[in-house]
Amino acid sequence: MNDQWYDEAAGPLVRPYAITRGRIPASDVTLDVATQVMALSGTKRDAVGLTPEHVAILDLCERPLSVAEIAAHVKVPIAVVKVLCSDLIERGEVIVRSPSQSLKAPDRQLLQAVLDGLSKL
C-alpha cells in the first residue's frame, strides 16, 4: 500500500491548520517548549474525536516529554502540538507541568564561601 499522506522529501502533505482545524491553544493553559506532558495512566481512552496525532501524543507520553520533544517525534510544528495538548488537557487525558525554575539569586554568603574556598586552592 502506498502512503499518499507523507512524502519523505517534502514531509507531511496535511497542512498544520488542517490538523488543528484552524484553532489556537486554549488560553487557560500556558504551554511552552519545556512544559512536560504526561498521559494519565489508568484512564480508559475514548478515541472518539481524537486524531491520529492525538493518539500519537498519548502513546508517546507514557513518560513525561516536553512539548518540543513531542513535536519532534510527531513531526508537526510546536504550535500544532500546543493545540493538540490543549485538547487532551480539556479531555482529562494528560497532565502538564512547567519545569520549575528558581528566579532567586544565590545566597551571597554561599558565593563568598565558594570564592574563599577556590582562592585557597
Side-chain angles (χ1 to χ4, degrees):
M1 183 170 133
N2 188 5
D3 190 4
Q4 298 292 323
W5 296 103
Y6 190 82
D7 179 359
E8 283 297 325
L13 299 177
V14 177
R15 298 287 179 224
Y17 62 82
I19 295 171
T20 63
R21 295 184 301 268
R23 296 173 296 123
I24 59 172
S27 61
D28 57 337
V29 177
T30 303
L31 300 173
D32 62 19
V33 295
T35 299
Q36 299 290 303
V37 180
M38 184 170 175
L40 291 173
S41 59
T43 60
K44 186 174 180 177
R45 284 192 198 156
D46 180 15
V48 175
L50 293 180
T51 65
E53 292 82 10
H54 284 115
V55 174
I57 290 170
L58 289 172
D59 291 341
L60 283 169
C61 291
E62 293 295 323
R63 63 179 181 84
L65 284 178
S66 71
V67 170
E69 290 173 304
I70 295 168
H73 286 289
V74 180
K75 298 180 182 170
V76 296
I78 290 175
V80 172
V81 171
K82 289 179 180 182
V83 172
L84 297 174
C85 286
S86 292
D87 294 344
L88 294 172
I89 292 166
E90 287 178 10
R91 290 174 56 105
E93 301 276 354
V94 298
I95 55 173
V96 295
R97 186 185 72 158
S98 292
S100 60
Q101 296 177 345
S102 176
L103 299 177
K104 192 172 108 176
D107 181 39
R108 184 171 173 79
Q109 290 177 341
L110 174 64
L111 290 175
Q112 188 62 49
V114 169
L115 181 61
D116 292 342
L118 289 173
S119 298
K120 292 178 183 178
L121 292 176

